[in-house]
Amino acid sequence: LTDFHGMELTRDKLCSVIKKWHTLIEGWTDVRTTDGYTVRMFAIAFTKKQDNAVSSNVYAKASQVRLIRKRMVDVMNAEAGKVALRDLVKNLIAESIGKEIEKR
């Protein structure tokens, strides 16, 4: 467990998910786990084009971005605040927190 230093996306993966004509939403929070560790978590989200969309762009309003960012931070605080660091790392690897953010 002491070997865990962090997780991040590689540059090529990050460049492949960023697209033109979409809104990029980033959020971060400091979370204290149940075993006393403080973890700084970052999340990144993108707007998605709907099936019946006519417009070529899928931008979000500033108020929508704030709401999405708030929900992302709330989910990260809720999911990471109730587990130990070892279980948090397992959840991050399994991407369960990301799937929970997508649901909301």
Side-chain angles (χ1 to χ4, degrees), residues 2-78:
T2 57
D3 294 336
F4 178 73
H5 184 263
M7 291 177 59
E8 60 185 82
L9 292 173
T10 59
R11 180 181 168 89
D12 61 328
K13 177 63 177 176
L14 192 59
C15 290
S16 70
V17 295
I18 294 176
K19 298 177 186 153
K20 288 174 67 172
W21 315 114
H22 294 260
T23 302
L24 171 78
I25 305 163
E26 295 177 312
W28 64 272
T29 183
D30 291 329
V31 182
R32 183 169 295 276
T33 60
T34 56
D35 51 354
Y37 289 97
T38 301
V39 180
R40 180 165 288 166
M41 298 179 65
F42 294 87
I44 187 169
F46 306 95
T47 53
K48 186 167 83 171
K49 191 169 187 174
Q50 295 187 356
D51 296 331
N52 59 356
V54 177
S55 176
S56 62
N57 59 25
V58 284
Y59 296 131
K61 296 179 185 175
S63 60
Q64 293 170 328
V65 170
R66 283 194 302 268
L67 181 66
I68 292 168
R69 186 179 295 121
K70 182 181 181 313
R71 286 187 182 166
M72 285 170 38
V73 169
D74 290 343
V75 169
M76 286 190 291
N77 283 331

